[in-house]
Amino acid sequence: MSVPTVDVHAHAGVPAVDALIEGQPGLARQREIDAATLGRASLAVNLKQIAELGPKLVDLELRLAAMDAARVQVQAVSTVPLPHAWADRELATRIIAVGNEGIAALCAKEPTRLLPIGAVALQHPDLAVGQLVTAVRDLGMRGVQISTSAGPGRELDDPSLTGFWAAAEELGAAVLIHPWGCTLGERLNAYYLFNSVGNPTETALALSRIVFSGLLERHPRLKIWSAHGGGYLASYMVRADHAWAARSDAHTTVEPPSALLRRTFVDSLVYTTEQLRHLVGSMGASQVTLGSDYPFDMGVVDPVDRLEAAGFDQATTDAIRGGNAARLLGPIPTVEPRTHDEAPMTLLSILDRNSTEEDL
C-alpha cells in the first residue's frame, strides 16, 4: 500500500499556554520587539487576522475539513512557533509541559490523521534534553520544533547544545527548525518584510551555522528539517561552497556545505512550480517533504495540487507526497478510507452547523 499524503508543516494553538504566559514581562517585551520589526501596517493586519485564525488553530473539525479539501491524509502538528526564549527555568518547564501535552491530546483525538510534534526550552539546554526524551518516549511525539537560535547569544551550533543534538540523534527524533521574524529588526518594518524576508533569512543563517560547524558530520544520523524550503540557503548554496573552497576559515568540514545541507530535510512551501523544481534539484528528491503552514496566510491550501503541477516523475512525486515524511518522522499511520456515509465535512458545512447551533 502506498504511503499516505503527509503535510509535515502545520500548526495548532494551545490556549492553556496562552493563558500561562499572558501578563509575563518577557512576553510583553517579545511583543514590543515584534511590533517594532513588523511596523504599524503589518501589525494592524496581523491583529485583524487573529479572530479568523483562532478557530482554525484549535478546532479539530475545521482542521480535518481543510486537510480533506487539500487531499492531505496525515498532518504533523506543531505549536505556533512563537519563541519563549525569555522564560526562566520554572516558567519554561511549565510552558513546554503544558504545550506538549496539549498537542499530544489534540492528535490523540485523530491518531491516524495527526502526528504530534513537541517543543523544548532550548535556552536551558539541560532542560531541553529531558523535555525531548519526555516528548518522544512518554508522549509519543515524532520530534520537536525549535527556533532558529536558542535565544540571544546562543546559536544552534553553540557547544552548550551538544547534549541536545546527541539525544535527538540517539532517539531518532526529528528536529524541525521554524523561524519567527528576524534579528534584522526595524529594517524590516514595512511591507511584511518581517516574514517574507525575515523568516527565510533566519532559516538560512541557522542552517549555515549547523552546516559549517560540522554538527552533521559529528551526528550523521541526525534528522533536521527546516520550514519554507530551507529559507534562502537552498537557493544559493553554491556561494557557501565557494567560501568553503576558497577560504581556510570557512573550510571547517570534510564535505562541502551543499553535501551536508542535502542531509537535511525541507518542506515544499516555495509557492511556484519553477521554484519547487529548483529546490528538488538543489536538495535532492529524497529530502523534500510536503508542507502547507496551515492555517497561516503565508501558507497554501493546495500543497498537493502544486506538487503535482511541478511535473515530476511518479517516484519523485510519491517521495515528496509522503515517502520522505516517513523517513523523517517514522512510520505513518494507515488512513482508513471513508465510507459513503462518512463523507468529509467541508469548511462551509462546519461553519453553517456552528451558526445553526448558535441560533438554537
Side-chain angles (χ1 to χ4, degrees):
M1 183 176 179
S2 62
V3 175
T5 300
V6 185
D7 178 2
V8 175
H9 184 183
H11 301 291
V14 181
V17 171
D18 298 334
L20 185 62
I21 64 176
E22 190 60 42
Q24 292 288 336
L27 177 62
R29 178 57 184 151
Q30 181 68 55
R31 286 174 173 168
E32 290 175 359
I33 293 170
D34 290 346
T37 308
L38 278 162
R40 290 183 180 180
S42 293
L43 179 61
V45 173
N46 281 8
L47 292 174
K48 184 177 180 181
Q49 286 183 340
I50 288 175
E52 178 186 347
L53 285 177
K56 295 179 181 179
L57 285 166
V58 298
D59 189 302
L60 179 58
E61 290 186 336
L62 285 175
R63 180 179 301 273
L64 294 176
M67 290 169 62
D68 290 339
R71 295 189 289 145
V72 167
Q73 294 167 289
V74 179
Q75 190 181 78
V77 182
S78 53
T79 56
V80 175
L82 175 70
H84 304 119
W86 46 265
D88 62 24
R89 291 178 66 87
E90 179 182 356
L91 181 58
T93 299
R94 294 164 63 198
I95 290 171
I96 297 304
V98 171
N100 286 355
E101 288 166 6
I103 292 294
L106 172 68
C107 294
K109 294 177 182 178
E110 288 285 347
T112 65
R113 304 291 309 270
L114 305 177
L115 303 178
I117 303 296
V120 295
L122 211 56
Q123 72 271 28
H124 305 294
D126 59 322
L127 285 183
V129 173
Q131 290 163 342
L132 173 63
V133 173
T134 298
V136 174
R137 292 183 176 171
D138 297 345
L139 297 177
M141 294 179 142
R142 301 304 184 95
V144 292
Q145 175 181 264
I146 65 173
S147 192
T148 50
S149 76
R154 180 175 282 149
E155 301 293 343
L156 296 184
D157 61 335
D158 193 284
S160 66
L161 300 179
T162 297
F164 169 78
W165 293 117
E169 181 182 40
E170 181 180 350
L171 291 166
V175 179
L176 278 59
I177 299 175
H178 196 298
W180 178 274
C182 183
T183 49
L184 285 171
E186 294 183 36
R187 294 187 66 199
L188 302 173
N189 68 359
Y191 322 118
Y192 204 37
L193 300 179
F194 173 98
N195 190 311
S196 64
V197 171
N199 276 5
T201 297
E202 280 291 308
T203 303
L205 176 57
L207 287 174
S208 295
R209 303 283 305 211
I210 287 171
V211 164
F212 279 102
S213 70
L215 178 67
L216 297 171
E217 291 184 332
R218 293 191 297 275
H219 300 285
R221 294 179 292 111
L222 195 58
K223 296 190 292 187
I224 291 178
W225 172 99
S226 55
H228 318 130
Y232 291 131
L233 187 60
S235 295
Y236 201 22
M237 66 172 72
V238 290
R239 188 172 178 86
D241 279 358
H242 183 85
W244 177 87
R247 296 180 56 91
S248 60
D249 55 335
H251 198 96
T252 53
T253 56
V254 175
E255 291 190 77
S258 58
L260 295 173
L261 186 65
R262 291 189 193 102
R263 295 188 188 182
T264 72
F265 294 82
V266 298
D267 73 4
S268 62
L269 187 54
V270 293
Y271 306 109
T272 69
T273 55
E274 293 80 8
Q275 191 68 12
L276 182 55
R277 287 193 289 266
H278 175 71
L279 180 66
V280 170
S282 297
M283 292 295 299
S286 64
Q287 305 308 114
V288 181
T289 62
L290 201 68
S292 72
D293 204 1
Y294 177 87
F296 292 103
D297 62 356
M298 289 297 284
V300 297
V301 298
D302 57 349
V304 178
D305 292 351
R306 292 169 189 253
L307 169 62
E308 292 176 346
F312 296 119
D313 60 64
Q314 193 61 51
T316 297
T317 299
D318 288 347
I320 297 171
R321 184 178 57 80
N324 295 336
R327 293 173 44 240
L328 173 67
L329 301 175
I332 305 300
T334 300
V335 181
E336 296 296 332
R338 294 177 185 265
T339 66
H340 292 297
D341 295 332
E342 296 175 317
M345 298 188 73
T346 65
L347 290 173
L348 182 58
S349 67
I350 291 172
L351 292 172
D352 285 344
R353 183 208 61 189
N354 291 342
S355 176
T356 301
E357 290 174 352
E358 290 172 1
D359 292 339
L360 294 177

